[in-house]
Structure formats: C-alpha cells, structure tokens
Amino acid sequence: MNILIAPDSFKECLTAQKVARSISHGIKKINPDHNIEVIPISDGGEGSIEFLKMNSHGKVVKHRTENALGDKILSEYFKFNDSKTAWIELSQASGLSLIEKKKRNPGLTSTYGTGVSIQHAIKSGCSEIILSLGGSATNDAGAGIFQALGGKLLDEKNKQIERGCESLSKIKKIKIPKYLNNIKFKIAYDVSNPLLGINGATKTYSIQKGATSNQIEKLEKNIFHFSQIVKKDLKIDITKVKGGGSAGGTAAGLYGLLGAKLTNGFKLIAGFVNLEQRVELSDIIFTAEGRLDYQSLNGKVPIELGKLAKKHKKILICLAGSIEPPYENFYKNGITAIFNIQNKPISLGESIKEAEYQISDISGRVFSFFEKIK
C-alpha cells in the first residue's frame, strides 16, 4: 500500500516534521511493510522555510531584526540559488508565537521586523521577494513592512505615523520610494479571506492575536481608513482582493502599496514537490492540523489537500487537536474521515505535552481499521 503523509504544523505545539514523524511511527507500529512517503507541508505560512530547506536549492540567511513588539531578535529567510530570489516567512519576525500571551495586542503590533528582513534580502542583491503569510501577531495591513522599506505613511503634519493598527487612522498621504519599482513582490497567502467585513482580517483573526471585543470595531475602522487612503493616493481598491485578509491584511496592503502579486500559498508550496502527482499515486493519505474549524475552510492544508484527494478519488484521513462542527463542510471538500487525537479527557497543557504520543496512537488505530477494509 502506498501511504502519503502530508500534515501541517500544530501551531505553538509541533512542527509539521514532528507531526509527520509521529503519524509515520504510529502506522509502522501496525505494519512496517507499506511504502510510506512523508512530506511535511505548509500553506505558505509557518513552516515554509523548513519545507524549502528539505525540498529546494538555496541557503538560509540569518540576520538581526525585531519581533512584532519591537524587541530585537535573530531571524532567517531562504535565498534561492539564483541569488536573485528570497523567500521571507512573515512569522519568522512578526509571528504570534514570538510574543508572550499577556503582551499580545494587534493594535500595537507591527510587521516592521518582516520589512527589515525584506530590506536585508534586497541589500544582498535580491530583486524578487516571495513573502509567505500566516501565524502573524499583527493587524497593520503590512504598514510596518512598508515603513521598514522606506515608505512614508504621513499624518496631517506630514510626519511618519507610529507603528501598529491603532495609528492607521492618522494616515493622510502615502509616498512610495522609487527603488521599490525595481523589486518584484509575490505574496503567498495562507487564507482566502478579504480585508474587511465579517470574514475579514480583523473580525476573523484579531481575537486570537489578543484583541478585546471592544477593540475590534476600532481596528476595523482603522483598516478601512487605510484602504481609503490607498484608493485615493494609489487608485487601487484593496478591499475586494482574494486573500487580502491574510496576516492581518498584509496581503491586501502590499497588493496596494507595492503592486505585489497574490497567490495561494498551498499551491505554490505544493508545486515544489509535485504534490498532486504524489496524491494520485497514493492509496491513502494522512494529513493533520492543530485546529480544524471554519477558518480551515479559507485555504488551510487539510482543505486544499482534500480538494486534490477528491479530484483523484483518494481516501484522506485528517487528524486534529481540536475539531469544530459542522463536519459536513470538511467532508464535502474531500476529507474522508476526521479524528481527534485526544484519547482521554485532559487539559490543553497536558494535550500539548502528549501531542506526539497522541498523534502516533490515533494514527496506528485509524490505519489498522483502514488496512482491514482495503
């Protein structure tokens, strides 16, 4: 039997590599004789650099930048062998996992540190930047990135506004550095949400980044104001673009400010390893995600992989640390069966500690069943 294991990471718990290893271990305990192919995958967000290390040609560049609150950190990006293209993973500098829970505040956090990483790549000779989104601590529509690259977001006194979403309401004028016209930007978005509205960046994702219920409407208004200044000064409507809500609106913001081209991150990543062909050659596929819920429907790995499995009539098993109904939404997108990794009532903290064992255990039990019915 040909078994494909292609999970995403469990956010703030396990890398995709560790999840994949745990699934493989569980299956091998039942039967070690099957052909198992392991491809830890990403939707273009967190884990994409680790993916590129294993599946592409280039080198990791380490450099100093700052996190979403301005604390100095050491980060990295991937520079392809052509030396002209760099892959920047936003979560490496502006990620939620880098900020203590008690300090998370999407009104104050900024993507500035990611902009420093991009600037470092440009100064090293790169003329094409691929920016993968996902796992952000921010809601500033990429304003921080733009400022780090020398862009001006000016207030009524013609001064640069402060960083963070709370300051976006002060923008009166935008000035773009001329050198950026020579740089190609491609955005790999991880979700298909638009910038604004009930399914937009703020109302869908800001709570998990630390926003209070009273803060959400203000953040939404600030993002809306920003979009209107972009429309006025640059003649671009950033509110309707697919995937614009990714990483707190970073995709939409850079689409307007830098003329970035937006593409589905999963499809971009999948292309590196001919994932569809591997799906076609498999008998059963295992994937996994930390939380399977309505947000997963906006382009996360299990759903995108499900579409490929459905196309080629393959069995797709999805494992998750937590699952939110209605399950029909997942089944109609190609997932055959969904299993919670927890085999007993335990706390979140205990579940995180035992995640590798739980994944291995459920993988073995599920595979044993499907092996018998094949």
Side-chain angles (χ1 to χ4, degrees):
M1 187 184 297
N2 293 320
I3 304 164
L4 175 63
I5 300 173
D8 199 352
S9 62
F10 277 35
K11 192 173 294 185
E12 298 186 69
C13 178
L14 294 175
T15 64
Q17 288 85 351
K18 288 183 177 180
V19 176
R21 185 176 61 198
S22 298
I23 296 172
S24 179
H25 179 67
I27 293 172
K28 286 179 179 178
K29 282 195 300 184
I30 302 301
N31 190 333
D33 297 327
H34 293 298
N35 178 35
I36 298 176
E37 185 170 28
V38 176
I39 307 177
I41 202 74
S42 168
D43 51 24
E46 291 174 292
S48 58
I49 287 181
E50 288 301 315
F51 174 87
L52 291 171
K53 287 178 185 178
M54 295 185 292
N55 296 289
S56 191
H57 300 290
K59 64 178 181 179
V60 168
V61 179
K62 295 187 181 296
H63 64 288
R64 295 196 176 278
T65 181
E66 58 186 63
N67 67 16
L69 287 176
D71 300 320
K72 301 302 180 184
I73 61 170
L74 185 65
S75 188
E76 62 182 28
Y77 59 86
F78 190 86
K79 191 172 183 180
F80 292 93
N81 277 348
D82 67 4
S83 75
K84 296 296 182 182
T85 306
W87 183 295
I88 315 286
E89 183 182 315
L90 182 138
S91 62
Q92 288 287 324
S94 309
L96 189 64
S97 63
L98 302 177
I99 308 295
E100 293 180 57
K101 287 187 177 181
K102 62 182 179 181
K103 293 183 178 180
R104 294 173 180 177
N105 184 339
L108 301 178
T109 49
S110 167
T111 52
Y112 189 91
T114 298
V116 172
S117 298
I118 294 172
Q119 186 69 273
H120 189 280
I122 292 173
K123 287 183 177 179
S124 76
C126 292
S127 56
E128 181 175 4
I129 303 295
I130 302 172
L131 175 63
S132 63
L133 307 183
S136 78
T138 59
N139 203 78
D140 72 348
I145 290 173
F146 184 65
Q147 290 174 309
L149 295 175
K152 303 295 185 182
L153 300 174
L154 305 175
D155 62 17
E156 59 185 5
K157 296 181 179 179
N158 221 32
K159 293 184 178 179
Q160 181 81 281
I161 65 165
E162 296 179 354
R163 301 176 198 170
C165 186
E166 286 186 1
S167 297
L168 295 184
S169 62
K170 300 175 183 178
I171 300 175
K172 300 297 181 183
K173 189 190 307 181
I174 297 170
K175 289 187 177 180
I176 303 174
K178 290 183 179 180
Y179 84 93
L180 290 177
N181 293 328
N182 299 318
I183 309 298
K184 293 181 180 179
F185 289 91
K186 181 183 288 185
I187 305 295
Y189 60 80
D190 66 322
V191 293
S192 57
N193 304 70
L195 179 64
L196 300 168
I198 192 67
N199 295 316
T202 304
K203 295 188 176 181
T204 304
Y205 300 107
S206 66
I207 289 180
Q208 69 190 40
K209 301 176 185 184
T212 64
S213 55
N214 294 329
Q215 191 180 23
I216 292 173
E217 285 302 326
K218 182 179 179 182
L219 297 179
E220 178 82 350
K221 288 179 181 178
N222 289 1
I223 291 282
F224 174 75
H225 173 77
F226 169 73
S227 73
Q228 295 308 293
I229 299 299
V230 171
K231 190 174 184 178
K232 175 179 72 71
D233 284 8
L234 306 179
K235 313 304 179 189
I236 299 173
D237 184 358
I238 64 173
T239 64
K240 301 293 193 301
V241 61
K242 183 178 180 180
S246 297
T250 295
L254 299 189
Y255 171 79
L257 295 169
L258 303 178
K261 292 183 178 180
L262 274 55
T263 187
N264 179 282
F266 175 85
K267 292 179 180 177
L268 191 60
I269 286 285
F272 280 101
V273 290
N274 296 315
L275 187 63
E276 182 167 359
Q277 182 181 19
R278 292 178 173 186
V279 166
E280 190 174 6
L281 294 173
S282 66
D283 296 304
I284 186 169
I285 308 158
F286 278 77
T287 190
E289 185 175 33
R291 180 174 175 80
L292 194 67
D293 58 17
Y294 71 98
Q295 294 182 13
S296 304
L297 300 171
N298 292 313
K300 295 295 186 179
V301 166
I303 298 300
E304 294 301 314
L305 194 55
K307 292 174 182 176
L308 292 178
K310 186 176 183 179
K311 177 180 177 180
H312 296 287
K313 298 181 173 62
K314 301 296 179 178
I315 294 173
L316 174 63
I317 307 303
C318 182
L319 311 178
S322 129
I323 307 164
E324 181 183 284
Y327 309 123
E328 293 79 9
N329 290 333
F330 310 125
Y331 298 140
K332 69 184 181 183
N333 276 288
I335 296 176
T336 307
I338 306 164
F339 297 90
N340 193 309
I341 67 169
Q342 297 178 12
N343 57 15
K344 58 183 178 180
I346 55 177
S347 69
L348 176 60
E350 290 174 311
S351 182
I352 290 173
K353 288 180 182 178
E354 296 184 17
E356 288 182 83
Y357 167 76
Q358 291 175 328
I359 292 169
S360 178
D361 179 64
I362 189 64
S363 299
R365 289 189 286 121
V366 170
F367 178 71
S368 178
F369 170 76
F370 276 92
E371 186 180 40
K372 290 174 182 176
I373 66 172
K374 281 295 284 184

